[in-house]
Amino acid sequence: MNNFSYTKANSVDEVVSLTHTNENNKIIAGGTNIIDLMKYFVTEADTLIDINPIDGIAEITELDNGGIRIGALMTNADTAYHPIIEEKYPILSKAILAGASAQIRNMATNGGNLLQRTRCYYFYDINTPCNKRVPGSGCSAMKGYNRIHAILGHSENCIAVFPSDMCVALAALGAVVHISGTDGDRTLKFSDFHRLPEDTPEIDNNLKKGEIITGIELPEKGFSKNYSYLKLRDRSSYSFALVSVATGLELENGIIKEARIALGGVSHKPWRVKEAEDFLTDKEANPENFAAAADIILEGAVGFEHNSFKINLAKKAIVRNCMMALDPASQRPGAKPSL
Ligand SMILES: Cc1cc2nc3c(=O)[nH]c(=O)nc-3n(C[C@H](O)[C@H](O)[C@H](O)COP(=O)(O)OP(=O)(O)OC[C@H]3O[C@@H](n4cnc5c(N)ncnc54)[C@H](O)[C@@H]3O)c2cc1C
Ligand code: SF4
């Protein structure tokens, strides 16, 4: 780890001014990702700016439009167990609790979750070429061990996936990210927040220099009656998703009025395909229709030597998760899924 200074910031403006003047001044929130990256020499900082003393961005606020705003500094644990999240947005609670461990969720913040970096093994190993870490150096995963890598939206420069669980639910819910920077405050639709690697895989998202995330807004509709989050991974706990699916359905007498399906573990950003959701509208909620929607979602999927299995796995996961969403009680520990 390189030498660095440490300072505490008391306001959003203070953070913006410190990060804008020097790109090597980095924010620390829970520290569960940035400290690892510094220890592995993947990233370095001149100054770590601790944003924990900032007031007003660690709570949930109910909005006049019926939605809520979740503070960026609120921990993943406090968010998942908050009564409003459990009742109105259970899909978010479930996705957060599928991630990491209780200890990590107690430290990890919501802003940090959106900005965590990929878990590609080569990204963390500074002795190997990696375009995301050192642009132009090559991609070791392309012909290396790529079991956990992308099947959708990858480029010839990078096949990494974005590893968050929480963000898969936020994508399905249609969240909005609240941001502050030198030009004031702005919002970004969740679908526009993370980006695909294209030929600049070193850039994970559309946050600009010096900007800080202050909150995440959720619309009123939380799909609390028919929802499910399914995470498939190599170990049953404390492991990142090979494939995950967040589903929210609005049903009327077994007919789908609105569908939301987002995938995790398959791309550089949470993967949502509007055409598949439109296809399901006004159709019967059954495995055949969910399988047809899965085919639309996975159109163009391409695997590599060690991860082609993910295409079939994703298809089955989508169908199974949509069926589980018909009966959220089936998600209780020990309960059998409906398919
Ligand atoms: C062993 C392990 C297992 C894990 N398993 C999972 C898992 O299964 N699923 C999952 O989803 N996650 C998992 N995680 C990741 C974990 O959820 C993230 O590390 C965590 O959410 C990051 O939050 P943090 O507050 O600790 O971020 P930090 O480490 O403090 O910061 C991360 C990045 O975000 C920036 N940052 C933080 N807050 C802000 C802000 N408000 N505005 C702008 N920039 C900001 C920092 O500068 C840094 O670049 C795991 C982590 C570990 C260590
Ligand atoms: S997949 Fe991306 S992060 Fe992994 S080695 Fe290739 S360029 Fe680096």
Side-chain angles (χ1 to χ4, degrees), residues 113-197:
N113 194 300
L114 267 60
L115 295 174
Q116 63 177 292
R117 310 234 42 205
T118 185
R119 292 283 157 175
C120 171
Y121 333 105
Y122 304 103
F123 177 68
Y124 282 79
D125 179 354
I126 58 165
N127 299 306
T128 60
C130 167
N131 286 326
K132 189 180 271 300
R133 186 170 24 78
V134 182
S137 61
C139 172
S140 300
M142 200 79 69
K143 294 205 167 128
Y145 188 55
N146 41 39
R147 176 175 174 78
I148 62 170
H149 288 77
I151 52 171
L152 286 160
H154 41 60
S155 73
E156 58 185 15
N157 300 299
C158 180
I159 60 171
V161 302
F162 178 60
S164 167
D165 289 290
M166 175 183 193
C167 291
V168 185
L170 291 176
L173 288 167
V176 172
V177 186
H178 286 247
I179 296 162
S180 289
T182 45
D183 297 333
D185 299 339
R186 67 177 181 122
T187 56
L188 208 48
K189 279 196 326 199
F190 203 78
S191 51
D192 295 333
F193 185 81
H194 296 100
R195 59 182 297 281
L196 293 177

Coordinates of all heavy atoms in Angstrom, one line a residue, residues 113-197:
N113 N -21.5 0.6 -2.7 CA -21.9 -0.6 -3.5 C -22.0 -0.3 -5.0 O -21.6 -1.1 -5.8 CB -23.3 -1.0 -2.9 CG -23.6 -2.4 -3.4 OD1 -23.7 -2.7 -4.6 ND2 -23.7 -3.4 -2.4
L114 N -22.5 0.9 -5.3 CA -22.7 1.3 -6.7 C -21.3 1.4 -7.4 O -21.2 1.3 -8.6 CB -23.4 2.6 -6.9 CG -24.9 2.6 -7.1 CD1 -25.6 1.9 -5.9 CD2 -25.5 4.0 -7.3
L115 N -20.3 1.7 -6.6 CA -19.0 2.1 -7.2 C -17.9 1.0 -6.9 O -16.8 1.2 -7.2 CB -18.5 3.4 -6.6 CG -19.4 4.6 -7.0 CD1 -19.0 5.9 -6.3 CD2 -19.3 4.8 -8.5
Q116 N -18.3 -0.1 -6.3 CA -17.4 -1.2 -6.1 C -16.9 -1.7 -7.5 O -17.5 -1.6 -8.5 CB -18.0 -2.4 -5.4 CG -19.2 -3.1 -6.2 CD -19.7 -4.3 -5.4 OE1 -19.0 -5.3 -5.3 NE2 -20.9 -4.2 -4.9
R117 N -15.6 -2.2 -7.5 CA -15.0 -2.5 -8.8 C -15.2 -4.0 -9.1 O -15.6 -4.8 -8.2 CB -13.5 -2.1 -8.8 CG -13.4 -0.7 -8.3 CD -12.6 0.2 -9.2 NE -12.8 0.2 -10.6 CZ -11.9 0.6 -11.5 NH1 -10.7 1.1 -11.0 NH2 -12.1 0.6 -12.8
T118 N -14.9 -4.4 -10.3 CA -15.1 -5.8 -10.7 C -14.2 -6.7 -9.9 O -13.2 -6.4 -9.3 CB -14.7 -6.0 -12.2 OG1 -15.0 -7.3 -12.6 CG2 -13.2 -5.7 -12.4
R119 N -14.7 -8.0 -9.8 CA -13.9 -9.0 -9.1 C -13.1 -9.9 -10.1 O -12.6 -11.0 -9.7 CB -14.9 -9.9 -8.3 CG -15.6 -9.2 -7.2 CD -14.6 -9.0 -6.0 NE -15.0 -7.9 -5.2 CZ -14.5 -7.5 -4.1 NH1 -13.5 -8.3 -3.6 NH2 -14.9 -6.5 -3.4
C120 N -12.9 -9.4 -11.3 CA -12.0 -10.2 -12.2 C -10.7 -10.4 -11.6 O -10.0 -9.5 -11.1 CB -11.8 -9.3 -13.5 SG -10.6 -10.1 -14.6
Y121 N -10.3 -11.7 -11.5 CA -9.0 -12.1 -10.8 C -7.8 -11.3 -11.3 O -7.0 -10.9 -10.6 CB -8.7 -13.6 -11.0 CG -9.8 -14.5 -11.2 CD1 -10.1 -15.0 -12.5 CD2 -10.7 -14.8 -10.2 CE1 -11.1 -15.9 -12.7 CE2 -11.8 -15.7 -10.4 CZ -12.0 -16.2 -11.7 OH -13.0 -17.1 -11.9
Y122 N -7.8 -11.1 -12.6 CA -6.6 -10.4 -13.2 C -6.6 -8.9 -12.9 O -5.5 -8.3 -12.9 CB -6.6 -10.7 -14.8 CG -6.7 -12.1 -15.1 CD1 -7.9 -12.7 -15.5 CD2 -5.6 -12.9 -15.0 CE1 -8.0 -14.1 -15.8 CE2 -5.6 -14.3 -15.3 CZ -6.8 -14.8 -15.7 OH -6.9 -16.2 -15.9
F123 N -7.7 -8.3 -12.7 CA -7.8 -6.9 -12.3 C -7.0 -6.7 -11.0 O -6.4 -5.7 -10.8 CB -9.2 -6.5 -12.2 CG -9.5 -5.1 -11.8 CD1 -9.1 -4.0 -12.6 CD2 -10.0 -4.8 -10.5 CE1 -9.3 -2.7 -12.1 CE2 -10.2 -3.5 -10.1 CZ -9.9 -2.5 -10.9
Y124 N -7.2 -7.7 -10.1 CA -6.5 -7.6 -8.8 C -5.1 -8.1 -8.8 O -4.4 -7.9 -7.7 CB -7.4 -8.4 -7.7 CG -8.6 -7.7 -7.3 CD1 -9.8 -7.7 -8.1 CD2 -8.7 -7.0 -6.1 CE1 -10.9 -7.0 -7.7 CE2 -9.8 -6.3 -5.7 CZ -10.9 -6.3 -6.5 OH -12.1 -5.6 -6.2
D125 N -4.6 -8.6 -9.9 CA -3.2 -9.2 -9.9 C -2.4 -8.2 -10.8 O -2.4 -8.3 -12.0 CB -3.2 -10.6 -10.5 CG -1.8 -11.2 -10.6 OD1 -0.9 -10.4 -10.3 OD2 -1.7 -12.3 -10.9
I126 N -1.6 -7.4 -10.1 CA -0.9 -6.3 -10.9 C 0.2 -6.9 -11.8 O 0.8 -6.2 -12.5 CB -0.3 -5.2 -10.0 CG1 0.6 -5.8 -8.9 CG2 -1.5 -4.4 -9.3 CD1 1.4 -4.7 -8.3
N127 N 0.5 -8.2 -11.7 CA 1.5 -8.8 -12.5 C 1.0 -9.3 -13.8 O 1.7 -9.9 -14.7 CB 2.2 -10.0 -11.8 CG 2.8 -9.5 -10.5 OD1 3.6 -8.6 -10.5 ND2 2.4 -10.1 -9.4
T128 N -0.3 -9.1 -14.1 CA -0.9 -9.5 -15.3 C -1.5 -8.3 -16.1 O -1.9 -7.3 -15.5 CB -2.1 -10.5 -15.1 OG1 -3.1 -9.8 -14.3 CG2 -1.6 -11.7 -14.3
P129 N -1.5 -8.5 -17.5 CA -2.1 -7.4 -18.3 C -3.6 -7.3 -18.0 O -4.3 -8.3 -17.8 CB -1.9 -7.9 -19.7 CG -0.8 -8.9 -19.7 CD -0.9 -9.5 -18.3
C130 N -4.1 -6.1 -17.9 CA -5.5 -5.8 -17.7 C -5.8 -4.4 -18.2 O -5.3 -3.4 -17.6 CB -5.8 -5.9 -16.2 SG -7.5 -5.3 -15.8
N131 N -6.7 -4.3 -19.2 CA -7.0 -3.0 -19.8 C -7.8 -2.1 -18.8 O -7.8 -0.9 -18.9 CB -7.9 -3.2 -21.0 CG -7.1 -3.7 -22.2 OD1 -6.0 -3.4 -22.4 ND2 -7.7 -4.6 -23.0
K132 N -8.5 -2.7 -17.9 CA -9.3 -1.9 -16.9 C -8.3 -1.2 -15.9 O -8.5 -0.1 -15.5 CB -10.3 -2.8 -16.2 CG -11.3 -2.0 -15.3 CD -12.3 -2.9 -14.6 CE -13.5 -3.2 -15.4 NZ -14.3 -2.0 -15.7
R133 N -7.3 -2.0 -15.5 CA -6.3 -1.4 -14.6 C -5.3 -0.5 -15.3 O -4.9 0.6 -14.8 CB -5.6 -2.6 -13.8 CG -4.7 -2.2 -12.7 CD -4.3 -3.4 -11.8 NE -4.4 -4.7 -12.4 CZ -3.5 -5.2 -13.3 NH1 -2.4 -4.5 -13.6 NH2 -3.6 -6.4 -13.7
V134 N -4.7 -1.1 -16.4 CA -3.7 -0.3 -17.2 C -4.2 -0.3 -18.6 O -4.0 -1.2 -19.4 CB -2.3 -1.0 -17.1 CG1 -1.3 -0.2 -17.9 CG2 -1.9 -1.2 -15.7
P135 N -4.9 0.8 -19.0 CA -5.4 0.8 -20.4 C -4.4 0.5 -21.5 O -3.2 1.0 -21.4 CB -5.9 2.3 -20.5 CG -6.2 2.7 -19.1 CD -5.2 2.0 -18.2
G136 N -4.7 -0.3 -22.4 CA -3.8 -0.7 -23.5 C -2.9 -1.9 -23.2 O -2.2 -2.3 -24.1
S137 N -3.0 -2.4 -22.0 CA -2.0 -3.5 -21.6 C -2.6 -4.9 -22.1 O -1.8 -5.8 -22.1 CB -1.8 -3.5 -20.1 OG -3.0 -3.7 -19.4
G138 N -3.8 -5.0 -22.4 CA -4.4 -6.3 -22.9 C -5.4 -6.8 -21.8 O -5.5 -6.3 -20.7
C139 N -6.1 -7.9 -22.2 CA -7.0 -8.5 -21.3 C -6.6 -10.0 -21.1 O -6.7 -10.8 -22.0 CB -8.4 -8.5 -21.9 SG -9.6 -9.4 -21.0
S140 N -6.2 -10.2 -19.8 CA -5.8 -11.6 -19.5 C -6.9 -12.6 -19.4 O -6.7 -13.8 -19.6 CB -5.0 -11.6 -18.2 OG -3.9 -10.8 -18.2
A141 N -8.1 -12.1 -19.2 CA -9.2 -13.0 -19.0 C -9.7 -13.6 -20.3 O -10.3 -14.7 -20.3 CB -10.4 -12.2 -18.3
M142 N -9.6 -12.8 -21.4 CA -10.1 -13.2 -22.7 C -9.7 -14.7 -23.0 O -10.5 -15.5 -23.4 CB -9.6 -12.3 -23.7 CG -10.4 -12.2 -25.0 SD -11.9 -11.3 -24.9 CE -11.3 -9.6 -24.7
K143 N -8.4 -15.0 -22.8 CA -8.0 -16.4 -23.1 C -7.5 -17.1 -21.8 O -6.9 -18.1 -21.9 CB -6.8 -16.3 -24.1 CG -7.3 -15.8 -25.5 CD -6.4 -16.3 -26.6 CE -7.1 -16.0 -27.9 NZ -6.3 -15.3 -28.9
G144 N -7.8 -16.5 -20.7 CA -7.5 -17.1 -19.4 C -8.6 -17.8 -18.8 O -9.5 -18.3 -19.5
Y145 N -8.6 -17.8 -17.5 CA -9.7 -18.5 -16.7 C -10.9 -17.5 -16.6 O -10.7 -16.5 -15.8 CB -9.2 -18.9 -15.4 CG -10.2 -19.8 -14.7 CD1 -10.7 -20.9 -15.3 CD2 -10.7 -19.5 -13.4 CE1 -11.7 -21.7 -14.7 CE2 -11.6 -20.3 -12.8 CZ -12.1 -21.4 -13.4 OH -13.0 -22.2 -12.8
N146 N -11.9 -17.7 -17.3 CA -13.0 -16.7 -17.4 C -14.3 -17.2 -17.0 O -15.4 -16.8 -17.5 CB -13.0 -16.1 -18.8 CG -12.9 -17.2 -19.9 OD1 -13.4 -18.3 -19.7 ND2 -12.2 -16.9 -21.0
R147 N -14.3 -18.1 -16.0 CA -15.6 -18.6 -15.4 C -16.6 -17.6 -14.9 O -17.8 -17.7 -15.1 CB -15.2 -19.6 -14.3 CG -16.4 -20.2 -13.6 CD -16.0 -21.2 -12.6 NE -17.1 -21.7 -11.8 CZ -18.0 -22.6 -12.2 NH1 -17.9 -23.1 -13.5 NH2 -19.0 -23.0 -11.5
I148 N -16.0 -16.5 -14.3 CA -17.0 -15.6 -13.7 C -17.3 -14.4 -14.6 O -17.8 -13.4 -14.2 CB -16.4 -15.0 -12.4 CG1 -15.1 -14.3 -12.6 CG2 -16.2 -16.1 -11.3 CD1 -14.6 -13.5 -11.4
H149 N -16.9 -14.5 -15.9 CA -16.9 -13.3 -16.7 C -18.2 -13.1 -17.5 O -19.1 -13.9 -17.4 CB -15.6 -13.3 -17.6 CG -14.4 -13.0 -16.8 ND1 -13.8 -13.9 -16.0 CD2 -13.7 -11.9 -16.7 CE1 -12.8 -13.4 -15.4 NE2 -12.7 -12.1 -15.8
A150 N -18.2 -12.1 -18.4 CA -19.4 -11.6 -19.0 C -19.8 -12.5 -20.2 O -19.0 -13.1 -20.9 CB -19.3 -10.2 -19.5
I151 N -21.2 -12.6 -20.4 CA -21.7 -13.2 -21.6 C -22.5 -12.2 -22.5 O -22.9 -12.5 -23.6 CB -22.6 -14.4 -21.3 CG1 -23.7 -14.0 -20.3 CG2 -21.8 -15.6 -20.8 CD1 -24.8 -15.1 -20.1
L152 N -22.7 -11.0 -21.9 CA -23.4 -10.0 -22.6 C -22.7 -8.7 -22.5 O -22.1 -8.3 -21.5 CB -24.8 -9.8 -22.0 CG -25.8 -11.0 -22.3 CD1 -27.0 -11.0 -21.2 CD2 -26.4 -10.9 -23.7
G153 N -22.7 -7.9 -23.6 CA -22.2 -6.5 -23.6 C -20.7 -6.4 -23.4 O -20.3 -5.3 -23.2
H154 N -20.0 -7.5 -23.6 CA -18.5 -7.3 -23.4 C -17.9 -6.8 -24.7 O -18.6 -6.7 -25.8 CB -17.9 -8.7 -23.1 CG -18.5 -9.9 -23.8 ND1 -18.4 -10.0 -25.2 CD2 -19.1 -11.0 -23.4 CE1 -19.0 -11.1 -25.6 NE2 -19.4 -11.7 -24.5
S155 N -16.7 -6.4 -24.6 CA -16.0 -5.9 -25.8 C -14.7 -6.6 -26.0 O -14.3 -7.4 -25.1 CB -15.7 -4.4 -25.7 OG -14.6 -4.2 -24.8
E156 N -14.0 -6.4 -27.1 CA -12.7 -7.1 -27.3 C -11.6 -6.6 -26.3 O -10.6 -7.1 -26.2 CB -12.2 -6.9 -28.7 CG -12.0 -5.4 -29.0 CD -11.6 -5.2 -30.5 OE1 -11.8 -6.1 -31.3 OE2 -11.2 -4.0 -30.8
N157 N -12.0 -5.5 -25.5 CA -11.0 -5.0 -24.6 C -11.2 -5.5 -23.1 O -10.3 -5.4 -22.3 CB -11.1 -3.5 -24.6 CG -10.8 -2.9 -25.9 OD1 -9.7 -3.1 -26.4 ND2 -11.8 -2.2 -26.5
C158 N -12.4 -5.9 -22.8 CA -12.7 -6.3 -21.4 C -14.0 -7.2 -21.4 O -15.0 -6.8 -22.0 CB -12.9 -5.0 -20.6 SG -13.3 -5.4 -18.8
I159 N -13.9 -8.2 -20.6 CA -15.1 -9.1 -20.4 C -15.5 -9.2 -19.0 O -16.1 -10.2 -18.5 CB -14.8 -10.5 -21.1 CG1 -13.6 -11.2 -20.4 CG2 -14.6 -10.4 -22.6 CD1 -13.5 -12.7 -20.8
A160 N -15.1 -8.2 -18.2 CA -15.4 -8.2 -16.8 C -16.9 -8.0 -16.5 O -17.6 -7.4 -17.3 CB -14.6 -7.1 -16.0
V161 N -17.4 -8.5 -15.3 CA -18.8 -8.2 -14.9 C -18.8 -7.3 -13.7 O -17.8 -7.2 -12.9 CB -19.6 -9.5 -14.6 CG1 -19.6 -10.4 -15.7 CG2 -19.0 -10.2 -13.3
F162 N -19.9 -6.6 -13.6 CA -20.1 -5.7 -12.4 C -20.7 -6.7 -11.3 O -21.7 -7.3 -11.5 CB -21.0 -4.6 -12.7 CG -21.3 -3.7 -11.6 CD1 -20.3 -3.0 -10.9 CD2 -22.6 -3.5 -11.1 CE1 -20.6 -2.2 -9.8 CE2 -22.9 -2.7 -10.0 CZ -21.9 -2.1 -9.4
P163 N -20.1 -6.7 -10.1 CA -20.4 -7.8 -9.2 C -21.6 -7.5 -8.2 O -21.9 -8.4 -7.4 CB -19.1 -8.0 -8.4 CG -18.5 -6.6 -8.4 CD -18.9 -5.9 -9.6
S164 N -22.2 -6.4 -8.2 CA -23.1 -6.0 -7.1 C -24.4 -6.8 -7.2 O -25.0 -7.1 -8.3 CB -23.5 -4.6 -7.2 OG -24.6 -4.3 -6.4
D165 N -25.0 -7.2 -6.1 CA -26.3 -7.7 -6.0 C -27.4 -6.6 -5.9 O -28.4 -6.6 -6.6 CB -26.5 -8.7 -4.8 CG -25.7 -9.9 -5.0 OD1 -26.1 -10.8 -5.8 OD2 -24.6 -10.1 -4.3
M166 N -27.1 -5.7 -4.9 CA -28.0 -4.6 -4.7 C -28.4 -3.9 -6.0 O -29.6 -3.5 -6.2 CB -27.3 -3.6 -3.7 CG -28.1 -2.3 -3.5 SD -27.1 -1.2 -2.4 CE -28.4 -0.1 -2.0
C167 N -27.4 -3.6 -6.8 CA -27.6 -2.9 -8.1 C -28.6 -3.6 -9.1 O -29.2 -3.0 -9.9 CB -26.3 -2.5 -8.7 SG -25.4 -1.3 -7.7
V168 N -28.6 -4.9 -9.0 CA -29.5 -5.7 -9.9 C -31.0 -5.3 -9.5 O -31.8 -5.1 -10.4 CB -29.2 -7.2 -9.8 CG1 -30.1 -7.9 -10.8 CG2 -27.8 -7.5 -10.0
A169 N -31.2 -5.3 -8.2 CA -32.6 -4.9 -7.7 C -32.9 -3.4 -8.1 O -34.0 -3.1 -8.5 CB -32.7 -5.2 -6.2
L170 N -31.9 -2.6 -7.9 CA -32.1 -1.2 -8.2 C -32.4 -1.0 -9.7 O -33.2 -0.1 -10.0 CB -30.9 -0.3 -7.8 CG -30.6 -0.2 -6.3 CD1 -29.3 0.5 -6.0 CD2 -31.7 0.5 -5.6
A171 N -31.8 -1.8 -10.5 CA -32.0 -1.7 -11.9 C -33.5 -2.1 -12.2 O -34.2 -1.4 -13.0 CB -31.1 -2.6 -12.7
A172 N -33.9 -3.2 -11.6 CA -35.3 -3.7 -11.8 C -36.3 -2.7 -11.3 O -37.3 -2.5 -12.0 CB -35.5 -5.0 -11.1
L173 N -36.0 -2.0 -10.2 CA -36.9 -1.0 -9.7 C -37.0 0.3 -10.4 O -37.8 1.1 -10.1 CB -36.6 -0.8 -8.2 CG -36.9 -2.0 -7.2 CD1 -36.2 -1.7 -5.9 CD2 -38.4 -2.1 -7.0
G174 N -36.0 0.5 -11.3 CA -36.0 1.8 -12.0 C -35.5 2.9 -11.1 O -36.1 4.0 -11.1
A175 N -34.4 2.7 -10.4 CA -34.0 3.7 -9.4 C -33.3 4.9 -10.2 O -33.1 4.9 -11.4 CB -32.9 3.1 -8.5
V176 N -33.1 6.0 -9.4 CA -32.5 7.2 -10.0 C -31.3 7.6 -9.0 O -31.5 7.5 -7.8 CB -33.5 8.4 -10.1 CG1 -32.8 9.7 -10.4 CG2 -34.6 8.0 -11.1
V177 N -30.2 7.9 -9.5 CA -29.0 8.2 -8.7 C -28.9 9.7 -8.5 O -28.9 10.4 -9.5 CB -27.7 7.6 -9.3 CG1 -26.6 7.8 -8.3 CG2 -27.9 6.2 -9.6
H178 N -28.8 10.2 -7.3 CA -28.6 11.6 -7.0 C -27.1 11.9 -6.8 O -26.4 11.2 -6.0 CB -29.4 12.0 -5.7 CG -30.9 12.1 -6.0 ND1 -31.6 13.2 -5.9 CD2 -31.8 11.1 -6.3 CE1 -32.8 13.0 -6.2 NE2 -33.0 11.7 -6.4
I179 N -26.7 12.9 -7.5 CA -25.2 13.2 -7.5 C -25.0 14.7 -7.3 O -25.8 15.5 -7.7 CB -24.7 12.9 -9.0 CG1 -24.9 11.3 -9.2 CG2 -23.3 13.3 -9.2 CD1 -24.8 11.0 -10.7
S180 N -23.9 15.0 -6.6 CA -23.5 16.4 -6.5 C -22.1 16.6 -7.0 O -21.2 15.7 -6.8 CB -23.5 16.9 -5.0 OG -24.8 16.9 -4.5
G181 N -21.8 17.8 -7.6 CA -20.5 18.0 -8.2 C -20.3 19.5 -8.2 O -21.1 20.3 -7.7
T182 N -19.2 19.9 -9.0 CA -18.9 21.4 -9.0 C -20.0 22.2 -9.8 O -20.2 23.3 -9.5 CB -17.6 21.6 -9.8 OG1 -17.6 20.8 -10.9 CG2 -16.4 21.3 -8.9
D183 N -20.8 21.5 -10.7 CA -21.9 22.2 -11.3 C -23.2 22.1 -10.6 O -24.2 22.3 -11.2 CB -22.0 21.6 -12.8 CG -20.8 21.8 -13.6 OD1 -20.1 22.8 -13.3 OD2 -20.6 21.0 -14.5
G184 N -23.2 21.6 -9.4 CA -24.4 21.5 -8.6 C -24.9 20.1 -8.5 O -24.1 19.2 -8.7
D185 N -26.2 20.0 -8.3 CA -26.8 18.6 -8.2 C -27.4 18.1 -9.5 O -27.8 18.9 -10.3 CB -27.9 18.7 -7.2 CG -27.4 19.1 -5.8 OD1 -26.2 19.0 -5.5 OD2 -28.3 19.6 -5.0
R186 N -27.3 16.8 -9.7 CA -28.0 16.3 -10.9 C -28.4 14.9 -10.6 O -28.0 14.3 -9.5 CB -27.1 16.3 -12.1 CG -25.9 15.3 -12.0 CD -25.1 15.3 -13.4 NE -23.9 14.4 -13.3 CZ -23.7 13.4 -14.1 NH1 -24.6 13.1 -15.1 NH2 -22.7 12.6 -13.9
T187 N -29.3 14.3 -11.5 CA -29.7 12.9 -11.3 C -29.4 12.1 -12.5 O -29.3 12.7 -13.6 CB -31.3 12.8 -11.0 OG1 -31.9 13.5 -12.1 CG2 -31.7 13.5 -9.7
L188 N -29.3 10.8 -12.4 CA -29.0 10.0 -13.5 C -29.8 8.7 -13.3 O -29.9 8.1 -12.2 CB -27.5 9.6 -13.4 CG -26.7 9.2 -14.6 CD1 -26.9 10.2 -15.8 CD2 -25.2 9.1 -14.3
K189 N -30.5 8.4 -14.4 CA -31.3 7.1 -14.4 C -30.4 6.0 -14.1 O -29.3 5.9 -14.6 CB -32.0 6.9 -15.7 CG -33.3 7.7 -15.9 CD -34.2 7.3 -17.1 CE -33.5 6.7 -18.3 NZ -34.3 6.6 -19.5
F190 N -30.9 5.0 -13.3 CA -30.0 3.9 -12.9 C -29.4 3.2 -14.2 O -28.2 2.8 -14.2 CB -30.7 2.9 -12.0 CG -29.7 2.1 -11.2 CD1 -29.1 2.7 -10.1 CD2 -29.3 0.8 -11.6 CE1 -28.2 2.0 -9.3 CE2 -28.4 0.1 -10.8 CZ -27.8 0.7 -9.7
S191 N -30.2 3.0 -15.2 CA -29.8 2.3 -16.4 C -28.7 3.1 -17.1 O -27.9 2.5 -17.9 CB -31.0 2.1 -17.4 OG -31.6 3.4 -17.6
D192 N -28.5 4.4 -16.8 CA -27.5 5.2 -17.5 C -26.2 5.4 -16.5 O -25.3 6.0 -16.9 CB -28.0 6.6 -17.8 CG -29.1 6.5 -18.9 OD1 -29.1 5.6 -19.7 OD2 -29.9 7.4 -18.9
F193 N -26.3 4.8 -15.3 CA -25.2 5.1 -14.4 C -24.0 4.2 -14.7 O -22.9 4.8 -14.9 CB -25.7 4.8 -12.9 CG -24.6 5.1 -11.9 CD1 -24.5 6.5 -11.5 CD2 -23.8 4.2 -11.4 CE1 -23.5 6.8 -10.6 CE2 -22.8 4.5 -10.5 CZ -22.6 5.8 -10.1
H194 N -24.2 2.9 -14.8 CA -23.0 2.1 -15.1 C -22.9 2.0 -16.7 O -23.9 2.2 -17.4 CB -23.2 0.7 -14.5 CG -23.2 0.7 -13.0 ND1 -24.4 0.6 -12.3 CD2 -22.2 0.8 -12.1 CE1 -24.1 0.7 -11.0 NE2 -22.8 0.8 -10.9
R195 N -21.7 1.6 -17.1 CA -21.5 1.6 -18.6 C -20.9 0.3 -19.1 O -20.4 -0.5 -18.3 CB -20.7 2.8 -19.1 CG -19.3 2.9 -18.5 CD -18.6 4.2 -18.9 NE -18.4 4.2 -20.3 CZ -17.4 3.5 -20.9 NH1 -16.6 2.8 -20.3 NH2 -17.3 3.6 -22.3
L196 N -21.0 0.1 -20.4 CA -20.4 -1.1 -20.9 C -18.9 -0.8 -21.2 O -18.5 0.4 -21.4 CB -21.1 -1.5 -22.2 CG -22.5 -2.1 -22.0 CD1 -23.2 -2.4 -23.3 CD2 -22.5 -3.3 -21.1
P197 N -18.0 -1.8 -21.3 CA -16.6 -1.5 -21.4 C -16.2 -0.9 -22.7 O -15.3 0.0 -22.7 CB -15.9 -2.9 -21.3 CG -17.0 -3.9 -21.7 CD -18.3 -3.3 -21.3

